Amino acid sequence: MHDYLTRLREMREKALLGGGQDKISQQHQKGKLTARERLALLLDEGSFQELGALATHDITEFGLDSQRFPGDGVVTGFGRINGRRVAVFAQDFTVLGGSFGTVQSNKICRVQDLAIESGIPLIGLNDSGGARIQEGVRSLAAYGEVFMRNVLASGVIPQISVILGPCAGGAVYSPALMDFVIMTRDTSFMFLTGPEVIKAVTGRDVTVQELGGAEAHSTLSGCTHLVADSEQEAIEEVKVLLSYLPQNNNEDPPRITPYDPPERMDAELDTIIPVEEKEPYDMRRVIEMVFDRDSVLEIHPYFACNAIVGFARLDGYAVGVVGNQPMHLAGSLDIDSSDKISRFTRICDTYNVPIVTFVDTPGFLPGVEQEYGGVIRHGAKIIYGYSAATVPKISIVVRKAIGGAYVAMSSKQLRCDLNFAWPTGQIAVMGPDGAVRILRRKEIKAAKDPVALEREFVQQYREAFFNPYRAADLGQIDEVIEPHETRPRLIRALEVLRTKVQLNPSRKHGLIPS
Ligand code: HXC
């Protein structure tokens, strides 16, 4: 064999080993896979085309000259997932803890640029000790290059970040700028400042997992959208997520071969709303019955549980689903659920995914903390998201649609295309008790039997206002439908709306309340 081929092959073999066999064994002992093992799980067999496998750093200070590893701390390139092209990078913890420096940045930026230009999704597998300390401020500049490209790619190509190990300091901002974040339970963590600094500054003791583990980010901070029990499961979640998304913002999501009859009607829907109006029921069950069997992928399932958002399929087509969840906080809207809903509607609009909204909310959650926390500006995001979205939008008022929440949750006035209601719908400015107390206070006070009169007024209000018929009469609801008809009605409605064209006024960008 020619010498030059031998040399290339030796270098390639060395690159395959990352930081070396010992480091690979340590990685396995921690219950983690290597960057290349992860890519092998993620990509269709034989589809990976690597770029930058031989790149090494050129820094000589702090002994780094003796620690050159071909490929540096990241494996980058292209491949296919279920036949669809994707760009990938996987940080290699076996090389100097996957620490991030100029070479890692150059390699990631290269695939970011090519992904944006080719219009294909970008998937990042994160496992890194953060900025490479030896590279000093060069590593900070290197992060900036990646963040800037994350922003340019935003809304153009799907970006999915999977956290499979440490992700600390400024490193968190690349995942945070991407569309979806997936974390593995127990083996990954994300935080800006770690437990030691927090202890020093605030005196508070907190463990790494309590502070930045998947549990914390999936329930409290909302910084991760999905959690997986293993790396294999996390990678599977990437594939499922991608199946609902187009390659870029100029395409529609792929349709899968329909497997659930479009005319299927579930009689359980007709009785799912309890007779007692304050009794909760599970909106998840409604959603499961309406969409194609087992097609629902909930996003943020453990965060702001008073709202449900996720992808599903109708007759094989991808749709985005939003719903209020009466099982939590009676389905009221608060700061976190406003963020959850508005972010999701914008993702759907960006990627040409129609939005179906199931409404059952008594309104925005009253409370001093909510007001001080900015529920006004957070709630405004829901209105912004629905109003600005030009994808097909359909809503179904299932029970309560009261006050500002009626307007915010995909009302006709926010350019919702078709508004349906079930006969159980209660569309009104406010609930009957409050309304009667305001409007009829004097008469009730003067009555011989104030309780009986109040009851009578409440009944009158219910009949006059607290139903879907007034709104249907006024055209705010297009049709009152029987609950079991929902699936075929939605499928037919989306068939009509598939060719919808709607434009927003030309501008640089809007100013979403934040
Ligand atoms: C250089 C690093 C490194 C780093 C880890 N290593 N982090 N090298 N720069 N940032 C090296 C270690 O020296 C070690 O090398 C190898 O990676 C594995 O690290 P260990 O500590 O042995 O592994 P482990 O016990 O699993 O701990 C992993 C860790 C810890 C939790 C990530 O290494 C750690 O806390 N690292 C520092 C994290 C950090 O503070 N990063 C900077 C954040 S600030 P050897 O040769 O011994 O195997 C930041 C600012 C960016 O990122 C701002 C951008 C805007």
Side-chain angles (χ1 to χ4, degrees), residues 173-189:
Y173 284 117
S174 178
L177 289 164
M178 293 171 88
D179 303 340
F180 298 100
V181 177
I182 301 171
M183 288 181 80
T184 44
R185 218 180 280 286
D186 303 328
T187 47
S188 73
F189 60 86

Side-chain angles (χ1 to χ4, degrees), residues 23 26 30 32 64 67 93-100 128-135 139-141 143-144 147 166-173 189 191-192 208:
K23 297 285 182 194
Q26 285 169 23
K30 287 180 193 157
K32 301 200 297 181
L64 266 188
Q67 298 192 67
F93 193 84
T94 68
V95 175
L96 297 164
S99 54
F100 185 94
S128 161
R132 184 169 293 169
I133 296 161
Q134 299 92 325
E135 290 200 27
S139 64
L140 301 184
Y143 267 125
F147 300 165
C167 181
V172 298
Y173 284 117
F189 60 86
F191 45 67
L192 267 175
V208 164

Side-chain angles (χ1 to χ4, degrees), residues 55-57 71-76 89-93 95-112 125-132 135 142-143 146:
T56 55
H57 63 76
D72 208 273
V74 70
V75 183
T76 53
F89 68 87
Q91 291 179 313
D92 184 352
F93 193 84
V95 175
L96 297 164
S99 54
F100 185 94
T102 312
V103 173
Q104 185 168 159
S105 172
N106 289 344
K107 287 178 67 175
I108 294 176
C109 289
R110 185 84 192 110
V111 288
Q112 285 180 302
L125 308 182
N126 295 59
D127 187 2
S128 161
R132 184 169 293 169
E135 290 200 27
Y143 267 125
V146 171

Side-chain angles (χ1 to χ4, degrees), residues 322 340-350 355 385-386 389:
V322 178
K340 176 170 163 173
I341 292 171
S342 56
R343 163 87 177 165
F344 186 72
T345 53
R346 286 170 69 80
I347 284 184
C348 290
D349 191 44
T350 293
I355 307 167
Y386 275 117

Side-chain angles (χ1 to χ4, degrees), residues 236-281:
E236 234 13 77
E237 282 178 349
V238 174
K239 297 182 191 183
V240 176
L241 194 46
L242 279 177
S243 74
Y244 294 94
L245 299 169
Q247 291 291 87
N248 57 61
N249 64 330
N250 286 321
E251 294 182 8
D252 288 332
R255 184 191 188 193
I256 66 161
T257 311
Y259 56 88
D260 196 0
E263 295 298 324
R264 175 177 62 73
M265 295 185 229
D266 228 312
E268 191 189 330
L269 287 169
D270 292 337
T271 53
I272 197 163
I273 305 298
V275 177
E276 170 50 52
E277 76 181 37
K278 291 210 169 103
E279 207 178 300
Y281 62 94

Side-chain angles (χ1 to χ4, degrees), residues 107-412:
K107 287 178 67 175
I108 294 176
C109 289
R110 185 84 192 110
V111 288
Q112 285 180 302
D113 289 340
L114 291 170
I116 296 170
E117 285 159 15
S118 308
I120 61 176
L122 173 74
I123 295 136
L125 308 182
N126 295 59
D127 187 2
S128 161
R132 184 169 293 169
I133 296 161
Q134 299 92 325
E135 290 200 27
V137 292
R138 275 172 285 215
S139 64
L140 301 184
Y143 267 125
E145 296 286 347
V146 171
F147 300 165
M148 188 271 292
R149 285 167 177 79
N150 283 136
V151 175
L152 294 185
S154 181
V156 178
I157 52 168
Q159 300 184 83
I160 301 175
S161 188
V162 192
I163 316 295
L164 299 161
C167 181
V172 298
Y173 284 117
S174 178
L177 289 164
M178 293 171 88
D179 303 340
F180 298 100
V181 177
I182 301 171
M183 288 181 80
T184 44
R185 218 180 280 286
D186 303 328
T187 47
S188 73
F189 60 86
M190 264 199 304
F191 45 67
L192 267 175
T193 44
E196 282 162 31
V197 178
I198 287 187
K199 172 80 177 158
V201 175
T202 69
R204 182 166 169 184
D205 279 312
V206 64
T207 67
V208 164
Q209 280 299 317
E210 280 166 358
L211 182 65
E215 180 75 18
H217 284 308
S218 61
T219 58
L220 300 174
S221 75
C223 289
T224 191
H225 299 87
L226 294 168
V227 176
D229 287 327
S230 65
E231 296 199 6
Q232 286 80 356
E233 195 183 308
I235 286 168
E236 234 13 77
E237 282 178 349
V238 174
K239 297 182 191 183
V240 176
L241 194 46
L242 279 177
S243 74
Y244 294 94
L245 299 169
Q247 291 291 87
N248 57 61
N249 64 330
N250 286 321
E251 294 182 8
D252 288 332
R255 184 191 188 193
I256 66 161
T257 311
Y259 56 88
D260 196 0
E263 295 298 324
R264 175 177 62 73
M265 295 185 229
D266 228 312
E268 191 189 330
L269 287 169
D270 292 337
T271 53
I272 197 163
I273 305 298
V275 177
E276 170 50 52
E277 76 181 37
K278 291 210 169 103
E279 207 178 300
Y281 62 94
D282 192 354
M283 186 66 92
R284 246 182 220 134
R285 185 83 193 108
V286 172
I287 291 168
E288 277 166 15
M289 282 189 274
V290 169
F291 294 92
D292 294 355
R293 290 275 181 233
D294 300 322
S295 72
V296 180
L297 172 67
E298 208 177 325
I299 305 294
H300 266 149
Y302 312 113
F303 175 68
C305 296
N306 41 334
I308 299 171
V309 304
F311 295 106
R313 289 199 170 84
L314 263 181
D315 204 25
Y317 289 103
V319 287
V321 185
V322 178
N324 307 113
Q325 172 57 291
M327 306 269 284
H328 292 268
L329 299 172
S332 58
L333 296 169
D334 62 355
I335 290 170
D336 285 346
S337 58
S338 297
D339 286 357
K340 176 170 163 173
I341 292 171
S342 56
R343 163 87 177 165
F344 186 72
T345 53
R346 286 170 69 80
I347 284 184
C348 290
D349 191 44
T350 293
Y351 296 122
N352 309 315
V353 182
I355 307 167
V356 178
T357 304
F358 291 83
V359 186
D360 184 356
T361 174
F364 283 94
L365 185 68
V368 175
E369 280 72 30
Q370 286 291 311
E371 296 288 344
Y372 285 175
V375 69
I376 296 173
R377 61 191 163 84
H378 289 277
K381 287 186 229 179
I382 304 184
I383 299 173
Y384 197 109
Y386 275 117
S387 302
T390 56
V391 287
K393 291 176 282 188
I394 303 175
S395 84
I396 305 107
V397 176
V398 168
R399 193 165 59 177
K400 293 184 172 57
I402 299 184
Y406 156 77
V407 185
M409 289 297 292
S410 201
S411 64
K412 184 157 293 301

